[in-house]
Amino acid sequence: MEWASQLCENRGLGSKMTDSKYFTTTKKGEIFELKAELNSDKKEKKKEAVKKVIASMTVGKDVSALFPDVVNCMQTDNLELKKLVYLYLMNYAKSQPDMAIMAVNTFVKDCEDPNPLIRALAVRTMGCIRVDKITEYLCEPLRKCLKDEDPYVRKTAAVCVAKLHDINAQLVEDQGFLDTLKDLISDSNPMVVANAVAALSEIAESHPNSNLLDLNPQTINKLLTALNECTEWGQIFILDCLANYTPRDDRESQSICERVTPRLSHANSAVVLSAVKVLMKFMEMLPKDLDYYGTLLKKLAPPLVTLLSAEPELQYVALRNINLIVQKRPEILKHEMKVFFVKYNDPIYVKLEKLDIMIRLASQANIAQVLAELKEYATEVDVDFVRKAVRAIGRCAIKVEQSAERCVSTLLDLIQTKVNYVVQEAIVVIKDIFRKYPNKYESVIATLCENLDSLDEPEARAAMIWIVGEYAERIDNADELLESFLEGFHDESTQVQLQLLTAIVKLFLKKPTETQELVQQVLSLATQDSDNPDLRDRGYIYWRLLSTDPVAAKEVVLAEKPLISEETDLIEPTLLEELICHIGTLASVYHKPPSAFVEGSRGVQHKRLPARAGSGESTESPDVGQSVSGVSDAPPAVIPSQGDLLGDLLNLDLAPPTTTVPPVPSSMQMGAMDLLGGGLDSLMGDEPETSGSHYRTEVPSPQPADFSERELGGDLGGSPAMGVGVGVGVGVGVGLGPAPVGMPAGLGAAPAVGGGLGDLFDLGGGVGMTSGSYSPPRVVWLQAMKAKGLEISGTFARRGGVIQMDVSLTNKAMSVMSDFAVQFNKNSFGMAPAGPLQVLTPLGPNQTVEVSLPLSSTGPVMKMEPLNNLQVAVKNNIDVFYFSCQYPISLLFVEDGKMDRQVFLATWKDIPSDNEAQFQIKDCHLSSDAASNKLQGSNIFTVAKRTVEAQDMLYQSIKLTNGIWVLAELRIQTGNPNYTLSVKCRAPEVSQYVSQCYELILKN
Amino acid sequence: MIGGLFIYNHKGEVLISRVYRDDIGRNAVDAFRVNVIHARQQVRSPVTNIARTSFFHVKRSNIWLAAVTKQNVNAAMVFEFLYKMCDVMTAYFGKISEENIKNNFVLIYELLDEILDFGYPQNSETGALKTFITQQGIKSQTKEEQSQITSQVTGQIGWRREGIKYRRNELFLDVLESVNLLMSPQGQVLSAHVSGRVVMKSYLSGMPECKFGMNDKIVIDKQGKGGTTDDAGKSELGGSSGKQSIAIDDCTFHQCVRLSKFDSERSISFIPPDGEYELMRYRTTKDIILPFRVIPLVREVGRTKLEVKVVIKSNFKPSLLAQKIEVRIPTPLNTSGVQVICMKGKAKYKASENAIVWKIKRMAGMKESQISAEIELLPTNDKKKWARPPISMNFEVPFAPSGLKVRYLKVFEPKLNYSDHDVIKWVRYIGRSGIYETRC
């Protein structure tokens, strides 16, 4: 309050026109004085007092003690005063619920006021008072206001329903306000429509399964009409709501797009971005060869560019979104590189974002310009920005091969500036360039070596050491350089230590004669003087490898490395799709799904892009059936190396050889595998269990960040053993004790090991279709006594991709039955009869007829309890009978449910671990191959298999008719009849049923 | 949606705090102060997430406006709203300053109550708001007046009220362009664009229907094909000279413009708000007239001296005059002294700004002027080279660098007895420098 009183002294209390004087209050007895003023007879004085109260409230003083006095002022004709009192009420009602009741009468009275502004004010304020008792009184006035003749009152009442719902959802439903709200979508006033849409969208968000918004072509049409007429804010509400709709076909999609495109010229950036969201989403459904598709793409670019001339905060939001759009549809902005050039006066957050987009848009056509710009940026002031610019040059080299040489020379120029952080950053990226173009730019090594002393960041030091080790044969004084690092070995960070160890081993393998002493020194430093298990273990591995078979060591350590990929920082396709559905929102700014930063149930729902027309995906499936089509649609190898790496991590842990010996690929990972596959095995001799248990923790839930890091950091580090060292570490240490021992023979067989294991991954494909799909035993669904003599029994089966319901109808009555027909209630997976019930001849007494009813899964959907419940009505000439039955969910497993290995890995880690469920399958005596075969018969596909000691792990994928993917890991331990099944799915409610199917199929 | 809105002064004291949602507590006010306003480092993003609460902020002079939310709100909308909030406040009480905010806090609360309901932005057009948020207390309105207000606030034409009357129907059109340039030292245009605005001041009676026409390439080409050139319209407002038509990359309109009509026919029709407003914004990148060319020459003489020579050339009709020309030549941080010689205008070394500022009041087209400077440097052992920020320029010219011309603005008001010819129309073109930089 000090500033307030000071100000007051300066200005003098005399300035009658201003309100700032209210911010001054005497310190003591202030409440008492205010109380007196509030109860004054003079209207003016009262008003002044209330203003003072509000001013105190603003700065955080507790003036709740004045509650009754303030509420007393409520009964007034003065609207300004009334609003102030209401403001006070909204703040303090919760802390004084009993006294708040005093206000109710006034509210109710105001809701009947002839002045619509007052009616609206009352209903608006009442909704903000979160006191249960008041809420009860709110219902009647609200109901009236929702039907008020004045649109201003109606639009306010519409929002009030959302407020009430936030306080007491049940009450809103019981009172039928939701229906009234739905009616308002057809209101004649566009603003009422917009607010109703906003309120409904918000309520729907907290009820993911309700069909509240019930968007259909009619309502969509109403919304599109209102879109042309309402305020800019209303347009945003409507567009955001439209984005949740999934058009039925590409024609509808196109017609909506046509009506939304004019919004791209709106002055309000939020309207533009929301329109872009709708278009980006609906475009997904348009066939690419359509003319309109191309037109639309062209129309999207200019408005996006225009967003960049908005205020910097909006530019930032726009750039974060453009970053997503560019990843999803690079063609839109491919010619617009120039607009992303950084301006000197841009705020830093805009600069950094622009830089990101520049790299994404870099191509052979514009690389010269981009490089010139980047070089310019590298001389700026802001350290982060400069670093990013240098890094960007490296990324350009990797992305656009033709430019690599120019990039390298630019980097060299920058190194010449001798600015410390520029040099370090440049060396880190040059290492990446070496990884991408081996044996091409070694000429620059000399320049790099000159800067050895100035490197003080671990990443840069490690990169430099890697370079020295990798090109040791070309650097005359490599041993001296490395030796200089070795002096302070224990002060280095782990990253540098590991790198140094590997580099010196490389050096030794290349120049064995002069460097023996050095290698011994580093090995002993790493193994005997270090407490770091990773380092120690890596040291031991090298030590043994070198002492056992130097030739093999050479093959392993100096193996050819796979090239690194150009796009390591792309957002994962599934996440990208979700973020595209959230364009304009916070999620798109953070590049995180809403569930990552929103509490509670809101926003937890994952949004997906609709499937392209003709892709065969059922687009009608509601939330349960959120199609994960994105996964399968995604280009097969957007992040190729990541997948490979993952796969290889899996590979790594594979245990001893099986029989097949395919040709040995000579990649670096293979090398790594050899090292472990054979080496370890022989090293560890009789103690395989220890490592087995250790591996388990390494593989299952890889974090995405981890991998890109490994990709860029670890692996680039050059040592094949790096990743390995970490993975195996503990096992070795524990199993063997510190003394290096001679290694038994066995390395010779090693390559075969890796190869053979790798091959196992293709196992799934090689297994033929053996047994048919699982079909449960027949049961009686409808007993004769309950159905006037008609007995129905039956089962379900999946044959050749068609779900069939095999029914036998038995007439146990005395008269003939005819005119059979069947109908299903809505059910969880939209099962519906695909044809009529074919009972051609009338069914005589004691006759039985067998019918196969083909089913489709495109019917109406409603969630059932249990999920696989099916309610059936059968009609004949006598009556209609109802029964319900449960089908095994395996019926819904479709034939193309085999997931690509990489997609599997990506999806597995993308599904949050909360969605993982574990089950035990007891008393099952099948071998893993037999189990895999059996499961495949029912469309449960084994994507990969790996064996860790005595345990087989089958990684399996299942796709349901509605596009849900289910991923499973089945663990089978030889000799143990109890299997463990882990199921991961985006719709976790399915998991339980899937596990039941496993049990049924495996035991059948 | 928006959960709360706070306004702080530069010290981080709260001036206004309005909470709309239950999930925003009082501690949010402090969280923003501690983590953003009082943060040790400069804030690196206008959106900050603190303990799962997101804060959007904008700054106006030394006042912070922050919107808070815990949900996945439409971020673009929140910023647009904050800007709008600033506009509304400016329209009510002028500059946004601590003093003005304190003086009008009751008004601001009233406004916040009206334009944001449960965090959803409502009608925020000042024209409409001023009809019923007056701070004089609503005088006894008649029933008709009340319903007129509500129908305007919620109506399709929320930006204009009925029954406006002027004795003289008059309108002013300002075409305001800012031309942006980034040029390499060798004179190569790295990027250039014009962002323009058409600002209209309308003093028209009734509910006039307006139609605006300019030399938009698409329209002209279409008419050319149809064979119906609107010559009358062309010569009506100042005539067309120079380029026939210009290619507009993109444009956005005030919400009064019927967008669907623009999309289908590319015609700009609307019922204007009363008084001043921005009719449209546009952007062009093709065939821009760059009013000035800057030719820099920087020579490092040893380690302690720099020689700088800058030539500027004006590139427009000799009959036109550019004004308020200012060239800003950055100098290194270790500058110890500067000697400047210029042919025209005044040049001064400003140590506090690390720049030589050269000002010329007026300059006609097709002229040239030059400045040369010798910069003495203190010897430093700083290894980092001077970053050489670009030379920037400011100016004002009386034409539109994009080449845009207003062809017509027709006014129809069928209910009142005045016609298009009775309306007095004024058009003015002003081209200003935006970010006009030449690297050196």
Side-chain angles (χ1 to χ4, degrees):
Chain A
M1 285 310 290
E2 267 169 50
W3 50 266
S5 42
Q6 242 171 19
L7 187 106
C8 210
E9 276 159 33
N10 294 344
R11 296 176 49 80
L13 278 159
S15 57
K16 252 220 130 184
M17 288 303 288
T18 68
D19 286 338
S20 64
K21 63 174 183 280
Y22 302 113
F23 281 89
T24 57
T25 36
T26 45
K27 268 116 206 140
K28 277 181 197 162
E30 147 195 16
I31 299 275
F32 182 76
E33 267 176 41
L34 280 174
K35 211 179 178 84
E37 285 175 44
L38 284 169
N39 291 318
S40 151
D41 294 334
K42 285 181 192 146
K43 272 188 185 171
E44 263 316 298
K45 203 152 195 185
K46 256 190 189 175
K47 196 165 141 187
E48 303 281 288
V50 176
K51 282 187 180 180
K52 277 185 202 165
V53 172
I54 300 290
S56 306
M57 197 173 83
T58 298
V59 287
K61 273 200 174 169
D62 184 13
V63 281
S64 58
L66 296 167
F67 200 90
D69 309 282
V70 177
V71 172
N72 268 341
C73 305
M74 196 169 163
Q75 282 284 13
T76 170
D77 303 334
N78 186 317
L79 202 56
E80 190 191 4
L81 179 58
K82 196 174 219 112
K83 282 181 179 171
L84 287 173
V85 175
Y86 281 178
L87 187 64
Y88 179 90
L89 264 176
M90 284 186 263
N91 259 299
Y92 287 113
K94 224 173 152 188
S95 57
Q96 310 253 348
D98 293 328
M99 284 201 267
I101 292 293
M102 290 161 45
V104 166
N105 261 337
T106 323
F107 278 127
V108 175
K109 218 176 100 198
D110 280 357
C111 285
E112 310 264 331
D113 197 278
N115 185 342
L117 291 171
I118 292 183
R119 292 203 295 276
L121 178 67
V123 77
R124 185 165 68 212
T125 313
M126 245 175 130
C128 296
I129 297 177
R130 306 177 63 93
V131 174
D132 281 341
K133 284 178 200 154
I134 292 215
T135 326
E136 287 163 26
Y137 290 101
L138 176 57
C139 291
E140 275 325 299
L142 178 58
R143 199 186 312 284
K144 264 185 214 155
C145 289
L146 279 168
K147 304 221 158 110
D148 200 285
E149 51 167 19
D150 195 290
Y152 183 79
V153 181
R154 289 201 302 276
K155 72 110 185 163
T156 312
V159 176
C160 189
V161 176
K163 292 179 187 169
L164 191 57
H165 186 270
D166 195 37
I167 305 169
N168 189 342
Q170 197 56 46
L171 185 71
V172 170
E173 278 161 46
D174 294 347
Q175 296 278 335
F177 285 136
L178 295 183
D179 292 320
T180 325
L181 203 53
K182 275 189 210 168
D183 293 343
L184 287 184
I185 290 189
S186 317
D187 199 279
S188 58
N189 184 294
M191 194 155 174
V192 178
V193 178
N195 276 2
V197 167
L200 276 173
S201 302
E202 177 168 344
I203 295 171
E205 229 176 88
S206 51
H207 290 264
N209 291 326
S210 66
N211 201 13
L212 242 188
L213 260 165
D214 188 28
L215 294 173
N216 55 47
Q218 285 79 43
T219 43
I220 292 292
N221 197 28
K222 280 175 200 154
L223 293 185
L224 286 168
T225 312
L227 186 61
N228 285 325
E229 292 162 353
C230 62
T231 65
E232 43 194 336
W233 314 114
Q235 297 186 17
I236 299 169
F237 305 155
I238 291 177
L239 286 168
D240 284 349
C241 171
L242 270 179
N244 290 327
Y245 175 64
T246 310
R248 287 167 310 170
D249 50 30
D250 48 329
R251 294 239 318 271
E252 190 185 3
S253 179
Q254 178 177 346
S255 84
I256 296 177
C257 285
E258 278 165 358
R259 293 178 70 178
V260 167
T261 28
R263 297 300 119 198
L264 294 175
S265 306
H266 202 284
N268 187 314
S269 310
V271 175
V272 177
L273 267 179
S274 290
V276 169
K277 165 164 59 192
V278 174
L279 296 174
M280 281 291 286
K281 199 176 167 194
F282 288 12
M283 243 169 125
E284 219 36 43
M285 290 186 71
L286 300 177
K288 281 198 167 147
D289 46 357
L290 197 70
D291 285 347
Y292 181 71
Y293 180 82
T295 322
L296 200 54
L297 274 183
K298 269 188 216 132
K299 278 194 175 171
L300 276 171
L304 287 174
V305 174
T306 298
L307 291 177
L308 298 183
S309 37
E311 290 84 344
E313 291 87 0
L314 268 174
Q315 277 187 50
Y316 174 72
V317 174
L319 285 165
R320 293 293 283 177
N321 280 288
I322 289 173
N323 199 329
L324 298 173
I325 293 168
V326 165
Q327 287 184 56
K328 179 76 190 158
R329 296 189 182 281
E331 63 270 35
I332 294 179
L333 288 166
K334 66 178 172 201
H335 298 303
E336 304 289 348
M337 172 61 93
K338 276 189 178 180
V339 298
F340 298 103
F341 284 178
V342 170
K343 294 187 187 123
Y344 191 73
N345 293 324
D346 281 336
I348 182 68
Y349 51 83
V350 169
K351 283 183 175 173
L352 292 173
E353 292 307 316
K354 280 186 173 174
L355 201 50
D356 249 351
I357 295 170
M358 279 173 68
I359 301 165
R360 296 212 194 286
L361 291 178
S363 66
Q364 202 185 337
N366 55 27
I367 194 75
Q369 272 184 322
V370 174
L371 266 182
E373 282 295 308
L374 291 176
K375 197 175 169 187
E376 198 70 43
Y377 304 160
T379 61
E380 281 220 27
V381 189
D382 191 286
V383 177
D384 282 350
F385 180 61
V386 171
R387 280 175 177 273
K388 201 165 182 176
V390 176
R391 215 158 258 234
I393 297 175
R395 294 253 298 277
C396 285
I398 291 164
K399 197 172 175 201
V400 186
E401 190 163 353
Q402 293 82 354
S403 75
E405 198 158 345
R406 296 242 294 278
C407 295
V408 171
S409 75
T410 310
L411 287 169
L412 283 180
D413 288 353
L414 289 173
I415 289 176
Q416 299 301 354
T417 62
K418 305 277 180 200
V419 179
N420 192 282
Y421 53 84
V422 174
V423 173
Q424 310 212 36
E425 203 67 45
I427 286 182
V428 173
V429 297
I430 286 183
K431 177 205 66 190
D432 290 354
I433 296 176
F434 282 171
R435 275 298 302 274
K436 172 81 180 174
Y437 310 107
N439 305 319
K440 237 178 152 179
Y441 299 109
E442 289 74 49
S443 51
V444 309
I445 292 176
T447 322
L448 303 185
C449 289
E450 286 165 19
N451 291 288
L452 220 55
D453 300 336
S454 63
L455 308 180
D456 52 12
E457 290 162 24
E459 203 186 351
R461 283 174 86 85
M464 192 63 220
I465 293 170
W466 179 83
I467 293 172
V468 174
E470 187 67 18
Y471 296 98
E473 68 273 28
R474 292 171 219 224
I475 306 172
D476 296 335
N477 60 343
D479 47 343
E480 283 168 35
L481 292 176
L482 293 176
E483 201 171 355
S484 69
F485 281 105
L486 207 54
E487 284 159 17
F489 189 77
H490 289 297
D491 301 328
E492 300 283 1
S493 71
T494 315
Q495 190 185 7
V496 180
Q497 289 177 333
L498 286 168
Q499 206 52 259
L500 196 53
L501 172 60
T502 306
I504 293 178
V505 171
K506 281 186 196 164
L507 174 69
F508 171 68
L509 289 167
K510 288 174 179 178
K511 299 179 181 173
T513 46
E514 312 111 76
T515 54
Q516 207 155 1
E517 205 174 304
L518 195 60
V519 82
Q520 268 167 3
Q521 201 183 341
V522 77
L523 286 175
S524 92
L525 276 172
T527 52
Q528 274 147 37
D529 301 342
S530 170
D531 295 334
N532 184 323
D534 287 351
L535 184 65
R536 229 171 37 211
D537 295 338
R538 192 190 280 198
Y540 279 127
I541 290 174
Y542 283 140
W543 199 323
R544 275 165 209 143
L545 207 50
L546 292 172
S547 58
T548 316
D549 186 349
V551 181
K554 208 162 184 169
E555 261 175 54
V556 170
V557 179
L558 303 179
E560 204 176 305
K561 282 158 273 301
L563 301 182
I564 58 169
S565 82
E566 50 191 68
E567 299 290 0
T568 42
D569 61 333
L570 286 181
I571 295 178
E572 225 198 326
T574 34
L575 178 61
L576 181 61
E577 300 224 329
E578 184 173 358
L579 292 180
I580 289 286
C581 300
H582 287 294
I583 284 179
T585 68
L586 263 181
S588 72
V589 173
Y590 293 148
H591 287 185
K592 283 181 192 158
S595 52
F597 60 91
V598 176
E599 281 168 8
S601 61
R602 271 184 192 141
V604 171
Q605 241 180 313
H606 286 274
K607 291 189 181 177
R608 288 277 170 269
L609 292 175
R612 191 171 297 281
S615 74
E617 289 283 355
S618 148
T619 51
E620 281 168 72
S621 49
D623 43 62
V624 197
Q626 292 291 0
S627 75
V628 198
S629 63
V631 178
S632 49
D633 283 353
V638 187
I639 320 175
S641 68
Q642 254 191 40
D644 282 348
L645 199 66
L646 274 173
D648 286 306
L649 273 180
L650 285 177
N651 266 337
L652 270 182
D653 296 331
L654 291 170
T658 45
T659 43
T660 43
V661 183
V664 183
S666 68
S667 77
M668 161 241 174
Q669 268 99 352
M670 293 313 290
M673 221 182 317
D674 299 347
L675 175 65
L676 288 168
L680 255 191
D681 191 42
S682 29
L683 278 170
M684 300 175 101
D686 302 325
E687 296 169 298
E689 301 305 328
T690 38
S691 61
S693 57
H694 170 66
Y695 294 152
R696 189 61 200 94
T697 55
E698 180 66 8
V699 182
S701 55
Q703 296 297 309
D706 233 324
F707 282 95
S708 53
E709 209 165 274
R710 238 163 241 221
E711 168 67 22
L712 275 168
D715 245 313
L716 279 186
S719 133
M722 190 177 220
V724 177
V726 180
V728 185
V730 182
V732 181
V734 173
L736 277 164
V741 280
M743 188 160 32
L747 263 174
V753 175
L757 292 169
D759 213 45
L760 279 180
F761 277 98
D762 294 319
L763 195 124
V767 177
M769 296 286 241
T770 44
S771 49
S773 133
Y774 165 76
S775 172
R778 231 164 238 273
V779 282
V780 175
W781 284 332
L782 184 67
Q783 285 174 336
M785 25 186 318
K786 285 188 183 161
K788 303 189 179 162
L790 176 67
E791 186 181 278
I792 301 180
S793 63
T795 181
F796 294 91
R798 187 177 179 92
R799 299 186 190 102
V802 182
I803 306 170
Q804 283 178 326
M805 185 176 182
D806 298 334
V807 203
S808 33
L809 306 165
T810 310
N811 183 354
K812 294 202 170 169
M814 303 303 286
S815 55
V816 175
M817 292 179 181
S818 62
D819 305 335
F820 284 96
V822 68
Q823 206 167 6
F824 292 176
N825 195 0
K826 291 184 201 167
N827 53 72
S828 318
F829 292 94
M831 297 250 271
L837 191 63
Q838 300 269 351
V839 185
L840 299 174
T841 47
L843 195 60
N846 271 331
Q847 265 186 333
T848 299
V849 67
E850 303 271 339
V851 194
S852 264
L853 180 68
L855 305 183
S856 73
S857 54
T858 51
V861 174
M862 186 174 78
K863 195 173 170 185
M864 302 293 291
E865 193 53 49
L867 213 56
N868 58 344
N869 199 20
L870 188 63
Q871 293 177 335
V872 184
V874 171
K875 175 188 107 65
N876 62 10
N877 56 337
I878 299 167
D879 204 346
V880 184
F881 312 105
Y882 301 94
F883 64 89
S884 64
C885 53
Q886 288 169 13
Y887 50 90
I889 208 164
S890 61
L891 278 187
L892 306 166
F893 298 172
V894 297
E895 280 67 23
D896 62 341
K898 179 156 180 171
M899 213 180 229
D900 181 73
R901 233 176 82 198
Q902 290 179 0
V903 179
F904 183 92
L905 287 162
T907 318
W908 182 276
K909 69 183 152 98
D910 187 48
I911 300 177
S913 50
D914 296 354
N915 285 13
E916 182 168 345
Q918 263 205 0
F919 305 93
Q920 288 285 334
I921 300 174
K922 290 195 175 134
D923 292 329
C924 198
H925 296 279
L926 295 166
S927 75
S928 58
D929 285 352
S932 167
N933 272 0
K934 209 160 189 182
L935 290 168
Q936 177 149 8
S938 294
N939 295 338
I940 299 175
F941 298 95
T942 304
V943 176
K945 175 189 167 180
R946 67 193 187 92
T947 312
V948 172
E949 302 315 322
Q951 227 181 55
D952 286 341
M953 318 249 189
L954 298 177
Y955 293 94
Q956 303 182 311
S957 72
I958 300 163
K959 187 182 168 191
L960 301 188
T961 44
N962 57 4
I964 294 186
W965 283 94
V966 180
L967 309 185
E969 182 203 64
L970 185 62
R971 250 182 283 162
I972 304 176
Q973 203 159 18
T974 327
N976 184 351
N978 296 345
Y979 298 176
T980 314
L981 177 71
S982 309
V983 182
K984 259 191 164 188
C985 178
R986 282 188 212 281
E989 53 270 50
V990 185
S991 304
Q992 173 196 353
Y993 301 95
V994 171
S995 83
Q996 285 170 9
C997 285
Y998 264 85
E999 189 142 8
L1000 289 170
I1001 296 166
L1002 287 170
K1003 292 190 181 166
N1004 192 270
Chain B
M1 280 305 115
I2 298 174
L5 203 138
F6 309 132
I7 303 181
Y8 302 85
N9 65 7
H10 65 286
K11 286 189 235 161
E13 290 161 335
V14 206
L15 304 179
I16 297 288
S17 120
R18 175 76 160 93
V19 174
Y20 294 92
R21 296 261 170 163
D22 203 39
D23 53 5
I24 301 299
R26 181 92 205 167
N27 51 3
V29 183
D30 303 323
F32 182 77
R33 174 183 28 245
V34 173
N35 289 288
V36 180
I37 301 182
H38 291 171
R40 255 189 235 143
Q41 287 167 328
Q42 187 202 354
V43 186
R44 301 216 136 212
S45 156
V47 186
T48 328
N49 194 320
I50 307 163
R52 293 206 149 209
T53 309
S54 299
F55 294 82
F56 301 75
H57 74 262
V58 300
K59 244 187 126 176
R60 288 289 182 268
S61 60
N62 52 17
I63 296 293
W64 299 75
L65 277 92
V68 198
T69 183
K70 281 206 162 185
Q71 297 169 30
N72 181 29
V73 295
N74 188 322
M77 184 187 80
V78 176
F79 280 123
E80 283 283 3
F81 176 79
L82 287 175
Y83 302 144
K84 194 65 169 201
M85 179 72 206
C86 293
D87 291 350
V88 172
M89 289 197 290
T90 314
Y92 266 96
F93 53 75
K95 194 171 163 282
I96 296 177
S97 64
E98 181 171 351
E99 192 181 349
N100 277 345
I101 286 174
K102 280 185 189 166
N103 286 343
N104 294 285
F105 83 99
V106 176
L107 168 72
I108 295 174
Y109 276 122
E110 203 176 330
L111 285 170
L112 281 176
D113 195 42
E114 189 60 45
I115 60 180
L116 210 51
D117 190 4
F118 202 39
Y120 290 104
Q122 304 293 308
N123 192 332
S124 50
E125 284 301 312
T126 343
L129 289 171
K130 279 191 170 168
T131 56
F132 67 105
I133 296 186
T134 55
Q135 276 302 287
Q136 261 101 62
I138 293 190
K139 287 160 225 143
S140 52
Q141 292 153 318
T142 62
K143 212 164 176 223
E144 288 75 50
E145 277 169 343
Q146 285 164 4
S147 72
Q148 204 181 333
I149 289 169
T150 58
S151 78
Q152 198 210 330
V153 174
T154 60
Q156 296 178 19
I157 308 169
W159 54 87
R160 191 183 180 91
R161 65 191 166 88
E162 301 251 6
I164 297 173
K165 269 237 156 71
Y166 287 102
R167 265 204 307 175
R168 201 156 92 129
N169 289 298
E170 201 169 15
L171 67 86
F172 300 82
L173 273 179
D174 282 352
V175 177
L176 306 173
E177 295 196 338
S178 81
V179 51
N180 298 277
L181 169 75
L182 184 61
M183 194 175 251
S184 77
Q186 292 75 33
Q188 186 194 4
V189 177
L190 296 174
S191 74
H193 75 272
V194 167
S195 54
R197 306 186 299 143
V198 177
V199 174
M200 182 173 172
K201 258 183 252 173
S202 71
Y203 303 106
L204 302 170
S205 311
M207 296 296 258
E209 182 71 43
C210 298
K211 211 172 162 190
F212 175 68
M214 54 190 175
N215 58 341
D216 175 4
K217 194 162 187 292
I218 297 176
V219 178
I220 305 274
D221 288 357
K222 219 196 289 176
Q223 285 176 347
K225 266 181 222 152
T228 54
T229 27
D230 193 356
D231 282 319
K234 205 178 280 179
S235 56
E236 188 178 345
L237 287 175
S240 63
S241 57
K243 272 187 292 176
Q244 281 298 304
S245 61
I246 61 160
I248 292 175
D249 285 26
D250 189 36
C251 46
T252 59
F253 297 100
H254 184 267
Q255 58 168 323
C256 66
V257 174
R258 295 182 187 90
L259 293 179
S260 44
K261 216 160 176 191
F262 178 74
D263 195 57
S264 56
E265 303 163 27
R266 219 169 158 90
S267 76
I268 304 166
S269 61
F270 54 96
I271 295 172
D274 194 40
E276 182 171 334
Y277 73 103
E278 188 177 285
L279 174 64
M280 73 178 280
R281 276 177 189 234
Y282 57 91
R283 187 168 48 81
T284 71
T285 48
K286 291 205 185 67
D287 303 323
I288 294 169
I289 308 161
L290 296 171
F292 285 95
R293 165 89 203 273
V294 177
I295 305 156
L297 193 75
V298 181
R299 209 161 63 94
E300 288 176 40
V301 187
R303 302 198 64 182
T304 54
K305 206 167 137 189
L306 273 181
E307 280 180 10
V308 181
K309 196 173 101 175
V310 178
V311 178
I312 57 168
K313 286 182 178 170
S314 58
N315 177 33
F316 45 87
K317 272 193 239 164
S319 57
L320 298 174
L321 274 181
Q323 291 184 74
K324 299 177 190 165
I325 301 150
E326 184 185 295
V327 182
R328 185 170 283 263
I329 304 161
T331 55
L333 297 176
N334 55 338
T335 302
S336 61
V338 178
Q339 270 114 45
V340 215
I341 311 159
C342 57
M343 287 156 34
K344 219 178 163 201
K346 278 179 192 161
K348 224 180 188 178
Y349 165 62
K350 293 198 172 165
S352 60
E353 295 166 38
N354 286 314
I356 300 167
V357 180
W358 176 26
K359 285 183 178 170
I360 302 171
K361 274 197 184 128
R362 247 172 245 106
M363 188 165 169
M366 307 315 275
K367 287 264 166 42
E368 191 177 310
S369 191
Q370 183 185 325
I371 183 173
S372 39
E374 272 186 23
I375 302 169
E376 305 279 341
L377 302 178
L378 290 170
T380 59
N381 45 9
D382 190 3
K383 268 191 197 159
K384 202 190 163 197
K385 256 190 11 184
W386 175 48
R388 285 204 187 177
I391 294 173
S392 58
M393 226 194 136
N394 288 314
F395 53 80
E396 202 178 290
V397 288
F399 60 89
S402 68
L404 181 129
K405 288 275 184 289
V406 177
R407 289 171 59 224
Y408 56 81
L409 199 149
K410 293 175 188 155
V411 181
F412 311 94
E413 170 53 32
K415 284 189 198 144
L416 299 174
N417 54 351
Y418 73 93
S419 74
D420 187 39
H421 293 291
D422 303 330
V423 181
I424 307 159
K425 303 169 188 171
W426 307 84
V427 185
R428 177 165 69 156
Y429 299 90
I430 300 174
R432 288 197 185 97
S433 52
I435 294 163
Y436 202 85
E437 294 177 338
T438 307
R439 290 184 179 154
C440 59

